[in-house]
Amino acid sequence: MKGKKYEKRQWVGLLFVAPFIIGFLVFKLYPFVMSFNYSFTEFDLFAGAQYVGLENYIKIFTNDRDFYNSLNVTFIYTLISVPLKIAFALFIAGVLTTKIRGINLFRTIYYLPSVLGGSIAVSILWKFLFVKDGLINELLAVIHLGPIDWLGSPDIALYTISMLTVWQFGSSMVLFLAGLKNVPVDLYEAARVDGAGKVRVFFKITLPMISPIILFNLVMQSINALQQFTAAFVITNGGPLKSTYLYGMMLYQQAFEYLNMGYASALSWILFIIIVGLTAIIFKSSSYWTYYEDGGEF
Amino acid sequence: MNKVIALLLTMTLVIGVFAGCQSEKPTDTNSNDTKVEEKETTKEDPKEETKEEEAITLRYMWWGGDSRHEATIEAVKKYEELNPNINIKPEYMGYSGYYEKLVTQLAGGTAADVMQVNVPWLIDIMRGGDLLVDLHNQDVVDLQHYDNTFLSEFCEYDGQLVGVPNGLNAMCMIANKSFFEELGVEYDRKWTWDELLTVGEQIHKENTDKYLLNQEINQMFQFVVKAYIYQLTGNELILDDKSLGFTEEDLIKTFDYVQQLYAKGVIQPANETILYVANENPTWIDGNIGLQVEWPATLYRYMYDNTDLDIISLPVQEDGQTEAVVMKATMLTSVNNNSEHKNEALEFLNWLMNDQESIQILKDVRGVPASSNAQQLLVESDMLNPLMVKAIDNGLANPFTSESGFTNSSDVKTIFNEAIELLAYNETTPEEAAKEVILRLNEYLN
């Protein structure tokens, strides 16, 4: 009798998660498997797919004008935006732990950019802020600086785009906020009694205690950064001179402008392997710098 | 605090639900109305209930600017009024991203029933087989007012007429009159490309914030490089046998010209224009640029409050092979061959192109109409923009064969655009760029 009831409840549970499972199977797993399949084909969107073996991969590594440049641009973008974003998120989270009236309102406001972040509208806003006679240069002019060619110069455009990502620090910040609140107060009190200064407390207590959250943020943000597309597409369209031609942009153009679906699938699998590799490295290295109160056993 | 948040969330939800209801309401009542009407008709003459009276929804997709959107939606509403059983769902957007959306939809079998297609795209689209209805094989759309030579030369692909041309386009220059009046420069004449250089250099030297020519890098290929090469060689860029219609020297000369445009300040520096499409460039909007090589159908996009525009003919080569002007159909309106309601779609297309009412609603939002009937009607009722007529007259007086085949492929465009960007940023020489472009073109064409 008891067992039967349990089974029934299981059914209901499955029903509740069904939308996710179906969505996952149809929109994630199936395309995932198929893209692997297509990566060995020459797949013109109109003419259909034809198996060509490893040809796409060979061409990417030996005879693609954009591949290495795009990889390079994407790595630089990741190296700038991810650490800065995490540092910034941690800083703001630290500020937002202070106990003042209306702190929740501030937390919400600081989270807003992330809610809007991925959208086209914000990218367009960013474009208008940073164009030659945009707001940022007007402000710089007040203190007799600039104008700086934020988006038109091949040397600077990538950094400007990276700043947009840094500005969207909200989701990391929320995690840090939770982490900071979980650091036991008695540790701080003990350190203070022992005469440790604020900086020392931060590096010796706060950082180790929240290191698992730093790890999580590092992994998630790196994965996101490597797949970045919107900002470069909307603001600079990969230019000038391909200086913001992120890997995601290259992939998109191969797929939807030149209609080389097979080639684009191969590109996306290379990106996938890079992401897996990088994540593995971060995890591997984390045993040296993360601290778990319970010894780190999952 | 929790209570407040809970309250806020609840309110948002409630508002969301109401908003949802509101936006759905009109369609609901609409479909109800049709249902009621249907029922009434069935009651009156139950025997006459035919398939035609079922509500049919057609999707109609186009790109354009506001004026085109407004006029087209008005025409769509009119058609729905005249044909209560037809419901037309407009899907419209700007030009950017339209091509990607269209080809993906066509390949995926989810394209609209009626859609606007750009002639240069046919080389890429038609690989997919008979995706668009061949209008030679139907008798719903009346083509008697369209010039046959124009249809065969500018609108056909491989003998198939895959759409009705919306209008005529002949490359021209859009001139900002007030710019020239202020400077005291005569603009209304036949320019040579070299004169553009000398006059442009002079103007920029005397007024550092002013430029003679407005051309975004992505347009440079279409409007300067192609036109320059055509006139220089008398050939299309890529010939039918996939060989190049120009020599390396021709290309070096052309690229050298492009680089001089930037070096001499005839064109605004690339890093200032790269973020804008030409008609949104603030320098143009402020009236500080004089000329723009363009298709006249885009004229409305370049109009701003303080601009008084005129149209003049394309610059010519002093010692070129031809002074001909590149012409094309502004765009085609095509019917999806896989449409469930092909016949209704063709009927709608026919109305859109040939009906007096539709012609008067749409006017010249897609350029000067290609149908002589429509032209006459609009001229009589004084509804055509005289500037557009002027551009077409210029073109027709000296037309160049249409661009076709591989000249239009997106790969060729990319190869040229990348070289032009390097030239604009002064990162390469015309010689190097020409060599690279020829190498890549041959690689692509073979």
Side-chain angles (χ1 to χ4, degrees), chain A residues 44-46 65 104 127 131-133 149 151-154 235-236 239-242 252 256-259, chain B residues 1 99-100 103-104 107 124 127-128 131 271-272 274-276 410 414 418 421-422 425 427 436 440 443:
Chain A
D44 178 320
L45 205 50
F46 285 119
R65 284 179 172 79
N104 280 329
K127 182 168 166 177
V131 288
K132 197 187 159 209
D133 23 6
D149 197 3
L151 293 165
S153 154
I235 301 176
T236 56
L241 296 176
K242 302 219 160 170
Y252 171 82
F256 296 104
E257 216 171 304
Y258 313 131
L259 311 178
Chain B
M1 194 66 209
Y99 167 77
E100 285 86 345
V103 289
T104 317
D124 289 324
R127 285 181 299 178
L131 293 166
N271 58 357
E272 292 176 20
I274 193 157
L275 295 168
Y276 303 103
S410 47
T414 306
E418 287 183 15
E421 200 177 333
L422 285 167
Y425 272 89
E427 294 278 329
E436 172 79 3
R440 288 182 68 179
E443 218 170 81

Side-chain angles (χ1 to χ4, degrees), chain B residues 417-435:
Chain B
N417 275 345
E418 287 183 15
I420 292 165
E421 200 177 333
L422 285 167
L423 288 165
Y425 272 89
N426 214 6
E427 294 278 329
T428 186
T429 63
E431 289 79 14
E432 274 173 41
K435 217 170 242 149

Side-chain angles (χ1 to χ4, degrees), chain A residues 155-217:
Chain A
D155 302 324
I156 305 176
L158 185 60
Y159 299 96
T160 312
I161 303 259
S162 306
M163 289 308 118
L164 173 57
T165 320
V166 175
W167 182 58
Q168 295 158 9
F169 56 81
S171 58
S172 310
M173 180 196 76
V174 169
L175 291 167
F176 279 133
L177 260 178
L180 288 173
K181 282 194 156 182
N182 278 337
V183 180
V185 185
D186 45 349
L187 286 181
Y188 287 130
E189 277 168 3
R192 216 170 295 140
V193 170
D194 288 346
K198 271 192 172 168
V199 176
R200 196 145 171 219
V201 166
F202 176 77
F203 281 104
K204 292 288 177 190
I205 296 175
T206 312
L207 267 192
M209 291 303 285
I210 59 165
S211 56
I213 295 170
I214 296 179
L215 172 67
F216 178 79
N217 275 332

